[in-house]
Amino acid sequence: MRHVLSVLVNDQPRVLARVTTLLGPRNFNIESISVGESEVEGLSRMVIVTHGDEWAMEQVQKQLYKLVDVIKVNDLSDHPAVERELLLIKVGAGPTTRMEISGVVEPFRASVVDVGPNSMMVQATGERAKLDVLIELLRPYGIKEIARTGVTALSRSMAHASV
Amino acid sequence: MGQTATVLGGHTKSAESPETMYTGSEILLRCLIEEQVEILFGYPGGSVLPIYDSLYQGELRHMLARHEQGAIHAADGYARATGNPGVVIATSGPGATNLVTGIATAKMDSIPMVCITGNVPQQLMGTDAFQEADIMGITMPIVKHSYLVTDVRDLPRIVKEAFHIASTGRPGPVLIDIPKDVANAKDKFHYPEAVSIRGYQPTSNPHPLQLARLRKEIAEAKKPVILAGGGVVISGAEKELMEFAEQAQIPVITTLMGLGGFPGKHPLWLGMPGMHGTYAANHALLETDLLIGIGARFDDRVTMGRPDIFATKAKIVHIDIDPAEIGKNVDTFIPIVGDVKKVLQGAVNDDLLRSDCADWIDKVQGWYKSYPLQYQDSEEILKPQWVIRHLYETTGGDAIVTTDVGQHQMWVAQYFQFAQPRSLITSGGLGTMGFGFPAALGAQLGKQERTVISVIGDGGFQMTNQELAIASSANIPVKVVIINNQNLGMVRQWQEVFYKKRYCDVDLSGSPDFVKLTEAYGVKAWRATTKEEAIHAWAEALAHPGPAIVDFWVAPEENVFPMVAPGKGLDEMIMGDEEE
Ligand SMILES: Cc1ncc(C[n+]2csc(CCOP(=O)(O)OP(=O)(O)O)c2C)c(N)n1
């Protein structure tokens, strides 16, 4: 099963290395990791997307807690959560296809952020699956480059759990 | 320059005030003194020259090993014998990488250690400077925690935290990497009184609800068994374990790391389980309906890597200070996170009902008597098991015994009945050859009053025997017992049993004459090839006030039995090679 772990860590050099070193030998398949500042000064939030059964997830959480730099681990899959990823994609686009591409990306609430003579760059945010679909739709135009941030996520407030 | 520095050092010492400025290395030394470190093990080099310069005053005893691996295993042996953190110092690059095996050894057996490495000056870090190695990165998977000191002002806090982390919760090795410029930088010295580390709060008090569940299960169990591991020794819970087992009347099995945590002569003791365990211990595990694991991690030398067929009739209770151990290897019915000593103190109280299992105790004690550990003795050739029995009998079991890794290690575990904790010092988790001899030196330095015996194979001795130099120079009265079978015995045994005697690279011919080698270091040595010589040589070695070695020439093809092959069930014990 897919899990999204939200891990509060000390904002210290090497903390990402400590976490990945720990997951490595336990054969953890990591779909994505993203790290950034959190609401607490000195702490970063790391969002890890991974797959594993209940046993593996329990193990990995306990092992993470053994790292001195890990403050808190939450499995966001246990509760409603918002998951987002940012995609930047550069596709081939000449004068004839620009309009068409703009039309394709529009329903995704994506925007064109750069235009060159033979290409344009599209920015999109959303859940991973949605971005995957967008990439497939853009493939026929010729994908030149892709950059994705990996998933970041926060649990929803209880009152809005159904939104 | 050197002269001025010395004078200055002496001067600052007498004029100590909160305003006095010290170098990073002087601060380090003061921190170690504050931590009541009695002895350092190490090896100098370019990046730790400032640290060695501050040792010049002689305020702290330092043992100069002959290889950093020797230094770190000695520090580890010191820690295992005393319970206090062992401290080792090595230089950057090769010095630091030579520590790696020792750090991993300590990590696997949860040994408190503080490992101090020098590093190149910060402005050179990342430039592949001379003797630069990313020791923080290299050791990341094998430390409990690690620090790179980037500012001399952080040093006292870091040292304080390092000792705290190394020795609390589930102990382990902590690395402090100190770039040379930090060791040279100056600051005032103030040692923090308390530590507070966000994200590090080991649980030591058990949950009362789980304790109540445990008592209930004990009352209902018909065939309970305790599996006691290294956690009992680390926690200093031997008294509590005895009270618990006696009050509840539950038989006790001790793992390799748990030996000595429960007296080997106690009527409730069934021996060691697993690959080379006793019939009684393994069969108790097969039949038990309530298995209480206490500071034991159910590793694959006990479960044979087959949790699916391990103790299948039992509800498993698992007591451990490390929550990550619980449920890791076997499914747990009652998890109890906490310090073993506190858990057992909590469990032993008036309403701890005694289990109703006199029949069960009769049964397991019957196994213990009917299927004792056995070997074919000989009058022609020394048998290694006889040698270990002889050590046991001549010391009355009152000795610290270190082992290396291999057959002799198992024979020590089987034939030396440990009565007290911290008496068997062995690399159980990593299985590090070369550990035993330096560990014995460290143990003896920590426990001057005890007899310390290093039982070692002729293979493993050659991995770190250069440390004879410290035994000699510091006159450390360790007694080394070489179980010399002229083979990498344990590997030879596996090739015999699992590879149809296709012996490949296990013959140790070309090894030195150990008596001459030892004598070349100025250490006394004897050789024994018969029982008579053995008795005589051992008596002399034991009576000798300094270090001594006895090279026992034993039967080269002796095997360790019983034996369970990896991946087999504990009911598939090979009891011996009777057909021969
Ligand atoms: C550093 C290291 N290398 C290799 C091994 C694998 N190994 C385990 S036991 C053994 C043989 C040990 O031989 P010896 O020291 O003579 O002891 P014996 O088994 O004969 O008692 C070997 C090579 C190990 N445990 N450690």
Side-chain angles (χ1 to χ4, degrees), chain B residues 271-474:
Chain B
M272 180 174 81
M275 183 173 275
H276 296 295
T278 59
Y279 183 94
N282 283 345
H283 280 257
L285 287 173
L286 287 164
E287 288 215 7
T288 176
D289 60 357
L290 181 67
L291 175 54
I292 307 171
I294 307 181
R297 57 193 178 86
F298 296 94
D299 95 314
D300 55 279
R301 283 298 186 264
V302 172
T303 66
M304 309 315 298
R306 290 294 302 276
D308 55 320
I309 52 171
F310 176 77
T312 46
K313 297 175 187 164
K315 290 179 179 170
I316 297 181
V317 180
H318 195 172
I319 302 170
D320 205 291
I321 194 151
D322 181 359
E325 282 307 332
I326 293 173
K328 183 177 86 177
N329 291 331
V330 293
D331 286 338
T332 305
F333 182 67
I334 305 179
I336 305 182
V337 177
D339 176 22
V340 163
K341 189 177 184 129
K342 292 196 171 150
V343 175
L344 293 179
Q345 280 167 350
V348 178
N349 69 17
D350 299 353
D351 62 334
L352 174 79
L353 294 170
R354 179 185 274 255
S355 64
D356 166 30
C357 50
D359 293 350
W360 169 240
I361 290 183
D362 280 351
K363 187 170 186 179
V364 294
Q365 285 175 339
W367 285 332
Y368 191 69
K369 289 194 193 87
S370 320
Y371 302 94
L373 292 163
Q374 280 180 343
Y375 66 97
Q376 279 286 314
D377 202 7
S378 160
E379 296 309 314
E380 275 84 65
I381 189 157
L382 273 178
K383 285 298 182 94
Q385 302 93 329
W386 180 89
V387 175
I388 307 299
R389 270 324 273 184
H390 186 64
L391 304 179
Y392 175 69
E393 279 154 15
T394 48
T395 56
D398 182 18
I400 292 177
V401 181
T402 77
T403 78
D404 213 62
V405 175
Q407 291 182 312
H408 68 278
Q409 178 186 32
M410 292 300 112
W411 286 318
V412 167
Q414 293 178 332
Y415 290 97
F416 201 103
Q417 281 175 292
F418 292 92
Q420 302 170 44
R422 300 198 180 280
S423 299
L424 171 62
I425 292 179
T426 192
S427 167
L430 198 66
T432 307
M433 283 173 73
F435 168 80
F437 174 52
L441 299 172
Q444 183 79 78
L445 288 164
K447 290 280 176 188
Q448 317 255 351
E449 69 287 0
R450 304 273 318 261
T451 300
V452 177
I453 305 173
S454 159
V455 178
I456 197 160
D458 46 330
F461 189 47
Q462 293 181 69
M463 286 204 173
T464 46
N465 63 18
Q466 76 282 347
E467 304 308 337
L468 278 166
I470 355 181
S472 175
S473 67

Side-chain angles (χ1 to χ4, degrees), chain A residues 10 13-15 17-19 21 25-26 40-43 55 58-59 62-63 65-71, chain B residues 134 136-137 140-141 143-148 165 170 197-200 322-329 331:
Chain A
N10 280 323
R14 302 225 191 216
V15 65
R18 288 190 204 271
V19 168
T21 300
R26 292 179 172 83
V40 188
E41 205 187 310
L43 298 187
W55 175 85
E58 188 182 317
Q59 256 303 300
K62 286 172 165 179
Q63 294 290 347
Y65 269 120
K66 287 176 73 169
L67 294 178
V68 173
D69 281 331
V70 168
I71 312 295
Chain B
D134 175 17
M136 286 274 286
M140 207 163 262
V143 292
K144 182 169 174 189
H145 194 49
S146 50
Y147 293 93
L148 170 69
I165 291 172
R170 179 178 184 173
I197 307 168
R198 179 154 66 174
Y200 181 75
D322 181 359
E325 282 307 332
I326 293 173
K328 183 177 86 177
N329 291 331
D331 286 338

Side-chain angles (χ1 to χ4, degrees), chain A residues 150-163:
Chain A
V151 171
T152 194
L154 281 179
S155 62
R156 287 181 187 272
S157 311
M158 276 318 166
H160 300 134
S162 57
V163 173

